[in-house]
Amino acid sequence: MDRDDEQLLRRRVYGADHDQPGPLSDRRYAELVGGPLDGLLLDITGFTEDRTDTGVALATELGRFGAGGRARYDPRPGDPDRWDWTGDTP
């Protein structure tokens, strides 16, 4: 396996700088499951309990509404480290 292969296998973080796309050891992440951002990690460091209870709408061009659209993800009950896609919104 060469360096390029290793880079492809590294987990990518939603919204991260392209020069540092992987997770950082001092941060907490949730895996996005399903939908257009499936497999990406979401940095939830510092999220309040209210914020993690209500989920997020993340900007993406990959969803149903294209540029300007958002993909909605909510924490999975009983597994706060995995957030499930619940649909797209304009």
Coordinates of all heavy atoms in Angstrom, one line a residue:
M1 N 0.9 -1.2 0.0 CA 0.0 0.0 0.0 C 0.9 1.2 0.0 O 1.8 1.4 0.8 CB -0.9 0.0 1.2 CG -1.8 1.2 1.4 SD -2.8 1.2 2.8 CE -3.7 -0.3 2.7
D2 N 0.7 2.1 -0.9 CA 1.5 3.3 -1.0 C 0.8 4.5 -0.2 O -0.3 4.3 0.3 CB 1.8 3.7 -2.4 CG 0.6 4.1 -3.2 OD1 -0.5 4.5 -2.7 OD2 0.7 4.2 -4.5
R3 N 1.4 5.6 -0.2 CA 0.9 6.8 0.6 C -0.4 7.3 0.1 O -1.3 7.6 0.9 CB 2.0 7.9 0.5 CG 1.6 9.0 1.4 CD 2.9 9.9 1.6 NE 2.7 10.8 2.8 CZ 2.5 12.1 2.7 NH1 2.5 12.7 1.5 NH2 2.3 12.8 3.8
D4 N -0.7 7.2 -1.2 CA -2.0 7.7 -1.8 C -3.1 6.7 -1.3 O -4.2 7.2 -1.0 CB -1.9 7.7 -3.3 CG -1.0 8.8 -3.8 OD1 -0.9 9.8 -3.1 OD2 -0.5 8.7 -4.9
D5 N -2.8 5.4 -1.3 CA -3.8 4.5 -0.8 C -4.2 4.7 0.7 O -5.3 4.7 1.1 CB -3.3 3.0 -0.9 CG -3.2 2.6 -2.4 OD1 -4.0 3.2 -3.2 OD2 -2.4 1.7 -2.7
E6 N -3.2 5.0 1.5 CA -3.4 5.3 2.9 C -4.2 6.5 3.1 O -5.1 6.6 3.9 CB -2.0 5.4 3.6 CG -1.3 4.2 3.8 CD 0.0 4.4 4.5 OE1 0.1 5.2 5.4 OE2 1.0 3.6 4.1
Q7 N -4.0 7.5 2.3 CA -4.8 8.8 2.3 C -6.3 8.5 2.0 O -7.1 9.0 2.7 CB -4.2 9.8 1.4 CG -5.0 11.1 1.4 CD -4.7 11.9 2.7 OE1 -3.8 11.6 3.5 NE2 -5.6 12.9 2.9
L8 N -6.5 7.7 1.1 CA -7.9 7.3 0.7 C -8.6 6.6 1.8 O -9.8 6.8 2.0 CB -7.9 6.5 -0.6 CG -7.7 7.2 -1.9 CD1 -7.6 6.2 -3.0 CD2 -8.7 8.2 -2.1
L9 N -7.9 5.8 2.6 CA -8.5 5.0 3.7 C -8.7 5.8 5.0 O -9.4 5.4 5.8 CB -7.6 3.8 4.0 CG -7.6 2.8 2.8 CD1 -6.6 1.7 3.2 CD2 -8.9 2.2 2.5
R10 N -8.0 6.9 5.1 CA -8.1 7.8 6.3 C -9.5 8.4 6.4 O -10.1 8.8 5.4 CB -7.1 8.9 6.3 CG -5.9 8.6 7.0 CD -4.9 9.8 7.0 NE -5.4 10.9 7.6 CZ -4.8 12.1 7.6 NH1 -3.8 12.3 6.8 NH2 -5.3 13.1 8.2
R11 N -10.1 8.4 7.5 CA -11.4 9.0 7.8 C -11.3 10.5 7.5 O -10.4 11.2 8.0 CB -11.8 8.8 9.2 CG -11.9 7.3 9.6 CD -12.9 6.5 8.9 NE -14.2 7.0 9.0 CZ -15.2 6.5 9.8 NH1 -15.0 5.4 10.4 NH2 -16.4 7.1 9.8
R12 N -12.3 11.0 6.8 CA -12.4 12.5 6.5 C -13.4 13.1 7.4 O -14.4 12.5 7.7 CB -12.7 12.7 5.0 CG -11.6 12.2 4.1 CD -11.9 12.5 2.6 NE -12.0 13.9 2.4 CZ -10.9 14.7 2.1 NH1 -9.7 14.1 2.1 NH2 -11.0 16.0 1.9
V13 N -13.1 14.4 7.8 CA -14.0 15.1 8.7 C -14.7 16.2 7.8 O -14.2 16.9 7.0 CB -13.1 15.8 9.8 CG1 -14.0 16.7 10.6 CG2 -12.4 14.8 10.6
Y14 N -16.1 16.2 8.0 CA -16.9 17.2 7.4 C -16.4 18.6 7.6 O -16.2 19.0 8.8 CB -18.4 17.0 7.8 CG -19.3 18.2 7.3 CD1 -19.8 18.1 6.1 CD2 -19.5 19.3 8.1 CE1 -20.6 19.1 5.6 CE2 -20.3 20.3 7.7 CZ -20.8 20.2 6.4 OH -21.6 21.3 5.9
G15 N -16.2 19.4 6.6 CA -15.8 20.8 6.7 C -14.3 21.0 7.0 O -13.9 22.1 7.2
A16 N -13.5 19.9 7.1 CA -12.1 20.1 7.5 C -11.3 20.6 6.3 O -11.7 20.5 5.1 CB -11.5 18.7 7.9
D17 N -10.2 21.3 6.6 CA -9.3 21.8 5.7 C -8.7 20.6 4.8 O -8.4 19.5 5.4 CB -8.2 22.5 6.4 CG -7.2 23.2 5.5 OD1 -7.3 23.0 4.3 OD2 -6.3 23.9 6.1
H18 N -8.6 20.8 3.6 CA -8.1 19.7 2.7 C -6.7 19.3 3.0 O -6.2 18.2 2.8 CB -8.1 20.2 1.2 CG -9.5 20.3 0.7 ND1 -10.3 19.2 0.4 CD2 -10.3 21.4 0.4 CE1 -11.5 19.6 0.0 NE2 -11.5 20.9 0.0
D19 N -5.9 20.2 3.7 CA -4.5 19.9 4.1 C -4.5 19.0 5.3 O -3.5 18.3 5.6 CB -3.7 21.1 4.4 CG -3.5 21.9 3.1 OD1 -3.5 21.3 2.0 OD2 -3.3 23.1 3.2
Q20 N -5.6 19.0 6.1 CA -5.7 18.2 7.3 C -7.2 17.6 7.4 O -8.0 18.0 8.2 CB -5.5 19.0 8.6 CG -5.6 18.3 9.9 CD -4.8 17.1 10.0 OE1 -3.6 17.1 9.8 NE2 -5.3 16.0 10.5
P21 N -7.5 16.6 6.5 CA -8.8 16.1 6.3 C -9.2 15.1 7.4 O -10.4 14.8 7.6 CB -8.8 15.4 5.0 CG -7.4 15.0 4.8 CD -6.6 16.0 5.4
G22 N -8.2 14.5 8.1 CA -8.5 13.5 9.1 C -8.8 14.0 10.5 O -8.7 15.2 10.7
P23 N -9.3 13.1 11.3 CA -9.6 13.5 12.7 C -8.4 13.9 13.5 O -7.3 13.4 13.2 CB -10.3 12.3 13.3 CG -9.8 11.1 12.4 CD -9.5 11.7 11.1
L24 N -8.6 14.7 14.5 CA -7.5 15.1 15.4 C -7.8 14.5 16.8 O -8.9 14.3 17.2 CB -7.5 16.7 15.6 CG -7.4 17.5 14.3 CD1 -7.5 19.0 14.6 CD2 -6.0 17.2 13.7
S25 N -6.7 14.1 17.4 CA -6.8 13.3 18.7 C -7.5 14.1 19.8 O -8.1 13.4 20.7 CB -5.4 12.9 19.1 OG -4.6 14.0 19.4
D26 N -7.5 15.4 19.8 CA -8.1 16.1 20.9 C -9.6 16.5 20.6 O -10.1 17.4 21.3 CB -7.3 17.3 21.2 CG -7.2 18.3 20.1 OD1 -7.4 17.9 18.9 OD2 -6.9 19.5 20.4
R27 N -10.2 16.0 19.6 CA -11.6 16.3 19.2 C -12.5 15.1 19.4 O -12.0 13.9 19.4 CB -11.6 16.8 17.8 CG -10.6 17.9 17.4 CD -10.8 19.1 18.2 NE -12.0 19.8 17.7 CZ -12.4 21.0 18.2 NH1 -11.7 21.6 19.2 NH2 -13.5 21.6 17.8
R28 N -13.8 15.3 19.5 CA -14.8 14.2 19.6 C -15.6 14.3 18.3 O -16.0 15.3 17.8 CB -15.7 14.4 20.8 CG -16.7 13.3 20.9 CD -17.5 13.3 22.2 NE -18.5 12.3 22.1 CZ -19.7 12.4 22.4 NH1 -20.2 13.6 22.9 NH2 -20.6 11.4 22.3
Y29 N -15.8 13.1 17.7 CA -16.5 13.0 16.4 C -17.6 12.0 16.5 O -17.6 11.1 17.2 CB -15.5 12.5 15.3 CG -14.3 13.4 15.1 CD1 -13.1 13.2 15.8 CD2 -14.4 14.5 14.3 CE1 -12.1 14.1 15.6 CE2 -13.4 15.4 14.1 CZ -12.2 15.2 14.8 OH -11.1 16.1 14.6
A30 N -18.6 12.3 15.6 CA -19.7 11.3 15.3 C -19.6 10.9 13.8 O -19.3 11.8 13.0 CB -21.0 12.0 15.6
E31 N -19.9 9.7 13.5 CA -19.9 9.2 12.2 C -21.3 9.5 11.5 O -22.3 9.2 12.1 CB -19.7 7.7 12.1 CG -19.7 7.2 10.7 CD -19.4 5.7 10.6 OE1 -19.3 5.0 11.6 OE2 -19.4 5.2 9.5
L32 N -21.3 10.1 10.3 CA -22.5 10.4 9.6 C -22.9 9.1 8.8 O -22.0 8.5 8.1 CB -22.3 11.6 8.7 CG -21.9 12.9 9.4 CD1 -21.7 14.0 8.3 CD2 -23.0 13.3 10.4
V33 N -24.1 8.7 9.0 CA -24.5 7.4 8.4 C -25.7 7.6 7.4 O -26.7 8.2 7.8 CB -25.0 6.4 9.5 CG1 -25.4 5.1 8.9 CG2 -23.9 6.2 10.6
G34 N -25.5 7.2 6.2 CA -26.5 7.3 5.2 C -26.5 8.7 4.5 O -25.7 9.6 4.9
G35 N -27.3 8.9 3.5 CA -27.4 10.2 2.8 C -26.1 10.6 2.1 O -25.1 9.8 1.9
P36 N -26.1 11.8 1.7 CA -24.9 12.3 0.8 C -23.6 12.4 1.5 O -22.6 12.5 0.9 CB -25.4 13.7 0.3 CG -26.4 14.1 1.4 CD -27.1 12.9 1.9
L37 N -23.6 12.5 2.8 CA -22.3 12.6 3.6 C -21.9 11.4 4.3 O -21.1 11.4 5.2 CB -22.5 13.8 4.6 CG -22.9 15.1 3.9 CD1 -23.1 16.2 5.0 CD2 -21.8 15.6 2.9
D38 N -22.5 10.2 3.9 CA -22.3 8.9 4.5 C -20.8 8.7 4.7 O -20.0 8.8 3.7 CB -22.9 7.8 3.7 CG -22.7 6.5 4.3 OD1 -23.1 6.3 5.5 OD2 -22.3 5.5 3.6
G39 N -20.4 8.3 5.9 CA -19.0 7.9 6.2 C -18.1 9.0 6.7 O -17.0 8.8 7.2
L40 N -18.5 10.3 6.5 CA -17.8 11.4 7.0 C -17.9 11.5 8.5 O -18.9 11.0 9.1 CB -18.2 12.7 6.4 CG -17.9 12.9 4.9 CD1 -18.5 14.3 4.4 CD2 -16.5 12.8 4.6
L41 N -16.9 12.1 9.1 CA -17.0 12.4 10.6 C -17.4 13.8 10.8 O -17.0 14.7 10.1 CB -15.6 12.1 11.2 CG -15.1 10.7 11.1 CD1 -13.7 10.6 11.7 CD2 -16.0 9.7 11.7
L42 N -18.3 14.0 11.8 CA -18.7 15.3 12.2 C -18.0 15.7 13.6 O -18.2 14.9 14.5 CB -20.2 15.4 12.4 CG -20.8 16.7 12.8 CD1 -20.6 17.8 11.8 CD2 -22.3 16.5 13.1
D43 N -17.3 16.8 13.6 CA -16.7 17.2 14.9 C -17.8 17.8 15.8 O -18.4 18.8 15.5 CB -15.7 18.3 14.5 CG -14.9 18.8 15.8 OD1 -15.2 18.4 16.9 OD2 -13.9 19.5 15.6
I44 N -18.0 17.0 16.9 CA -19.1 17.4 17.8 C -18.5 17.9 19.2 O -19.1 18.0 20.2 CB -20.1 16.3 18.1 CG1 -19.4 15.0 18.6 CG2 -20.9 16.0 16.8 CD1 -20.4 13.9 19.0
T45 N -17.2 18.2 19.1 CA -16.5 18.7 20.3 C -17.2 20.0 20.7 O -17.4 20.9 19.9 CB -15.0 19.0 20.0 OG1 -14.4 17.9 19.5 CG2 -14.3 19.5 21.2
G46 N -17.6 20.1 22.0 CA -18.2 21.3 22.5 C -19.7 21.4 22.2 O -20.3 22.4 22.7
F47 N -20.3 20.5 21.6 CA -21.7 20.5 21.4 C -22.4 20.4 22.7 O -22.1 19.5 23.5 CB -22.2 19.3 20.5 CG -22.1 19.6 19.0 CD1 -21.2 20.4 18.5 CD2 -23.0 18.9 18.1 CE1 -21.1 20.6 17.1 CE2 -22.9 19.1 16.8 CZ -22.0 20.0 16.3
T48 N -23.5 21.2 22.9 CA -24.3 21.1 24.1 C -25.2 19.9 24.0 O -25.5 19.4 22.9 CB -25.1 22.3 24.4 OG1 -26.0 22.5 23.3 CG2 -24.2 23.6 24.5
E49 N -25.8 19.5 25.1 CA -26.8 18.4 25.1 C -28.0 18.7 24.2 O -28.5 17.9 23.4 CB -27.2 18.0 26.5 CG -28.1 16.8 26.5 CD -28.5 16.4 27.9 OE1 -27.7 16.7 28.9 OE2 -29.5 15.7 28.1
D50 N -28.4 20.0 24.3 CA -29.5 20.5 23.4 C -29.2 20.3 22.0 O -30.0 19.9 21.1 CB -29.9 21.9 23.7 CG -30.6 22.1 25.0 OD1 -31.2 21.1 25.6 OD2 -30.7 23.2 25.5
R51 N -28.0 20.7 21.6 CA -27.5 20.6 20.2 C -27.5 19.2 19.7 O -27.9 18.9 18.6 CB -26.2 21.3 20.0 CG -25.7 21.3 18.6 CD -25.6 22.6 18.0 NE -25.3 22.5 16.6 CZ -24.2 23.0 16.0 NH1 -23.3 23.6 16.8 NH2 -24.0 22.9 14.7
T52 N -27.0 18.3 20.6 CA -26.9 16.9 20.1 C -28.3 16.3 20.1 O -28.5 15.3 19.4 CB -25.9 16.1 21.0 OG1 -26.3 16.2 22.4 CG2 -24.5 16.6 20.8
D53 N -29.2 16.7 20.9 CA -30.6 16.2 20.9 C -31.3 16.6 19.6 O -32.2 15.8 19.1 CB -31.4 16.6 22.1 CG -30.9 15.9 23.4 OD1 -30.2 14.9 23.3 OD2 -31.3 16.4 24.4
T54 N -31.0 17.8 19.1 CA -31.8 18.3 17.9 C -31.2 17.9 16.6 O -31.8 18.1 15.6 CB -32.0 19.8 18.0 OG1 -30.7 20.4 18.1 CG2 -32.8 20.2 19.2
G55 N -29.9 17.5 16.6 CA -29.2 17.2 15.3 C -28.8 18.4 14.6 O -28.8 19.5 15.1
V56 N -28.4 18.2 13.3 CA -27.8 19.3 12.5 C -28.3 19.2 11.1 O -28.7 18.2 10.6 CB -26.2 19.2 12.5 CG1 -25.7 19.5 13.9 CG2 -25.8 17.9 12.0
A57 N -28.2 20.4 10.4 CA -28.5 20.4 8.9 C -27.2 20.9 8.3 O -26.8 22.1 8.5 CB -29.6 21.4 8.6
L58 N -26.5 20.1 7.6 CA -25.1 20.4 7.1 C -25.2 20.8 5.6 O -25.8 20.1 4.8 CB -24.2 19.2 7.3 CG -24.1 18.7 8.7 CD1 -23.4 17.4 8.7 CD2 -23.4 19.7 9.6
A59 N -24.6 21.9 5.3 CA -24.5 22.3 3.9 C -23.8 21.3 3.0 O -22.7 20.8 3.4 CB -23.8 23.7 3.8
T60 N -24.4 21.0 1.9 CA -23.8 20.1 0.9 C -24.4 20.3 -0.5 O -25.5 20.6 -0.6 CB -23.9 18.6 1.3 OG1 -23.2 17.8 0.3 CG2 -25.3 18.2 1.5
E61 N -23.5 20.2 -1.5 CA -24.0 20.2 -2.9 C -24.4 18.8 -3.4 O -25.0 18.7 -4.4 CB -22.9 20.7 -3.8 CG -22.5 22.1 -3.5 CD -21.3 22.6 -4.4 OE1 -20.8 21.8 -5.2 OE2 -20.9 23.8 -4.3
L62 N -24.2 17.8 -2.5 CA -24.4 16.4 -3.0 C -25.8 16.0 -2.7 O -26.2 14.9 -3.2 CB -23.4 15.5 -2.2 CG -22.0 15.9 -2.4 CD1 -21.1 15.0 -1.5 CD2 -21.6 15.7 -3.9
G63 N -26.7 16.7 -2.0 CA -28.0 16.3 -1.7 C -29.0 16.5 -2.7 O -28.7 17.0 -3.8
R64 N -30.3 16.3 -2.4 CA -31.4 16.4 -3.4 C -31.5 17.8 -3.9 O -32.0 18.0 -5.1 CB -32.7 16.1 -2.6 CG -33.9 16.2 -3.4 CD -35.1 15.8 -2.6 NE -36.3 16.1 -3.3 CZ -37.5 16.1 -2.8 NH1 -37.6 15.9 -1.5 NH2 -38.5 16.4 -3.5
F65 N -31.1 18.9 -3.1 CA -31.4 20.2 -3.5 C -30.1 20.9 -4.1 O -30.1 22.1 -4.5 CB -31.9 21.1 -2.4 CG -33.2 20.6 -1.9 CD1 -33.3 19.7 -0.8 CD2 -34.4 20.9 -2.6 CE1 -34.6 19.2 -0.4 CE2 -35.6 20.5 -2.2 CZ -35.7 19.6 -1.1
G66 N -29.0 20.2 -4.3 CA -27.8 20.7 -4.9 C -27.2 21.8 -4.1 O -27.4 21.9 -2.9
A67 N -26.6 22.8 -4.8 CA -25.9 23.9 -4.2 C -26.9 24.7 -3.3 O -28.0 25.0 -3.8 CB -25.3 24.8 -5.2
G68 N -26.5 24.9 -2.1 CA -27.4 25.7 -1.2 C -28.3 24.7 -0.4 O -28.9 25.2 0.6
G69 N -28.3 23.4 -0.7 CA -29.1 22.5 0.1 C -28.3 22.0 1.4 O -27.1 22.3 1.5
R70 N -29.1 21.3 2.2 CA -28.5 20.8 3.4 C -29.0 19.4 3.6 O -30.1 19.0 3.2 CB -29.0 21.7 4.6 CG -28.4 23.1 4.6 CD -28.9 23.9 5.8 NE -28.3 25.2 5.7 CZ -27.1 25.5 6.1 NH1 -26.3 24.6 6.7 NH2 -26.6 26.8 6.0
A71 N -28.1 18.6 4.3 CA -28.4 17.2 4.7 C -28.7 17.2 6.2 O -27.8 17.7 6.9 CB -27.3 16.3 4.3
R72 N -29.8 16.6 6.6 CA -30.1 16.6 8.0 C -29.7 15.3 8.6 O -29.9 14.2 8.1 CB -31.6 16.8 8.1 CG -32.1 16.8 9.5 CD -32.9 18.1 9.8 NE -33.3 18.0 11.2 CZ -32.6 18.5 12.2 NH1 -31.5 19.2 12.0 NH2 -33.1 18.4 13.4
Y73 N -29.0 15.4 9.8 CA -28.5 14.2 10.5 C -28.9 14.4 12.0 O -28.8 15.5 12.6 CB -27.0 14.1 10.4 CG -26.6 13.6 9.1 CD1 -26.4 14.5 8.0 CD2 -26.4 12.3 8.8 CE1 -26.0 14.1 6.8 CE2 -26.0 11.8 7.5 CZ -25.8 12.7 6.5 OH -25.4 12.3 5.3
D74 N -29.4 13.3 12.6 CA -29.8 13.3 14.0 C -29.1 12.2 14.7 O -28.8 11.1 14.1 CB -31.3 13.0 14.1 CG -32.1 14.2 13.6 OD1 -31.7 15.4 13.8 OD2 -33.2 14.0 13.0
P75 N -28.7 12.4 16.0 CA -28.0 11.3 16.7 C -28.9 10.0 16.8 O -30.1 10.1 16.9 CB -27.9 11.9 18.1 CG -28.2 13.3 18.0 CD -29.0 13.5 16.8
R76 N -28.2 8.9 16.7 CA -28.9 7.6 16.8 C -29.2 7.3 18.2 O -28.3 7.4 19.1 CB -28.0 6.5 16.2 CG -28.6 5.2 16.2 CD -27.7 4.1 15.6 NE -27.7 4.3 14.2 CZ -26.9 3.6 13.4 NH1 -26.2 2.6 13.8 NH2 -26.9 3.9 12.1
P77 N -30.4 7.0 18.6 CA -30.8 6.7 20.0 C -29.9 5.5 20.5 O -29.8 4.5 19.8 CB -32.3 6.3 19.9 CG -32.8 7.0 18.7 CD -31.6 7.0 17.7
G78 N -29.3 5.7 21.6 CA -28.5 4.7 22.2 C -27.1 4.6 21.6 O -26.3 3.8 22.1
D79 N -26.8 5.4 20.6 CA -25.4 5.4 20.0 C -25.0 6.8 19.5 O -25.1 7.1 18.4 CB -25.4 4.4 18.8 CG -24.0 4.1 18.3 OD1 -23.0 4.8 18.8 OD2 -23.9 3.4 17.3
P80 N -24.7 7.7 20.5 CA -24.4 9.1 20.2 C -23.2 9.3 19.3 O -23.0 10.4 18.8 CB -24.2 9.7 21.5 CG -23.8 8.6 22.4 CD -24.5 7.4 21.9
D81 N -22.4 8.3 19.0 CA -21.3 8.4 18.1 C -21.7 8.2 16.6 O -20.8 8.2 15.8 CB -20.2 7.5 18.5 CG -19.6 7.9 19.9 OD1 -19.6 9.1 20.2 OD2 -19.1 7.0 20.6
R82 N -22.9 7.9 16.4 CA -23.4 7.7 15.0 C -24.6 8.5 14.8 O -25.6 8.5 15.6 CB -23.7 6.2 14.7 CG -22.4 5.3 14.8 CD -22.7 3.8 14.7 NE -23.4 3.4 13.5 CZ -22.8 3.0 12.4 NH1 -21.4 2.9 12.4 NH2 -23.4 2.6 11.3
W83 N -24.6 9.3 13.7 CA -25.7 10.2 13.4 C -26.3 9.8 12.1 O -25.6 9.7 11.1 CB -25.3 11.7 13.4 CG -24.9 12.2 14.7 CD1 -24.4 11.6 15.8 CD2 -25.1 13.6 15.2 NE1 -24.2 12.4 16.8 CE2 -24.6 13.7 16.5 CE3 -25.6 14.7 14.6 CZ2 -24.6 14.8 17.2 CZ3 -25.6 15.9 15.3 CH2 -25.2 16.0 16.6
D84 N -27.6 9.6 12.1 CA -28.3 9.0 10.9 C -28.9 10.2 10.1 O -29.5 11.1 10.6 CB -29.4 8.1 11.4 CG -28.9 6.8 12.0 OD1 -27.9 6.2 11.5 OD2 -29.4 6.5 13.1
W85 N -28.8 10.0 8.8 CA -29.4 10.9 7.8 C -30.9 10.8 7.9 O -31.5 9.7 7.9 CB -28.9 10.5 6.4 CG -29.5 11.3 5.3 CD1 -29.3 12.7 5.1 CD2 -30.3 10.9 4.2 NE1 -30.0 13.0 3.9 CE2 -30.6 12.0 3.4 CE3 -30.8 9.6 3.9 CZ2 -31.4 11.9 2.2 CZ3 -31.6 9.5 2.8 CH2 -31.9 10.6 2.0
T86 N -31.6 11.9 8.0 CA -33.1 11.9 8.0 C -33.7 12.7 6.8 O -34.9 12.8 6.8 CB -33.6 12.6 9.3 OG1 -33.0 13.9 9.4 CG2 -33.1 11.8 10.5
G87 N -32.9 13.1 5.9 CA -33.4 13.7 4.7 C -32.6 15.0 4.3 O -31.8 15.4 5.1
D88 N -33.0 15.6 3.2 CA -32.4 16.8 2.7 C -33.4 18.0 2.8 O -34.6 17.7 2.8 CB -32.0 16.7 1.2 CG -30.9 15.6 1.1 OD1 -30.0 15.5 2.0 OD2 -30.9 15.0 0.0
T89 N -32.9 19.1 2.9 CA -33.7 20.3 3.0 C -33.1 21.4 2.1 O -31.9 21.5 2.0 CB -33.8 20.8 4.5 OG1 -34.8 21.8 4.6 CG2 -32.5 21.2 5.1
P90 N -33.9 22.3 1.6 CA -33.4 23.4 0.7 C -32.6 24.4 1.6 O -32.8 24.5 2.7 CB -34.6 24.0 0.1 CG -35.8 23.4 0.7 CD -35.4 22.3 1.6

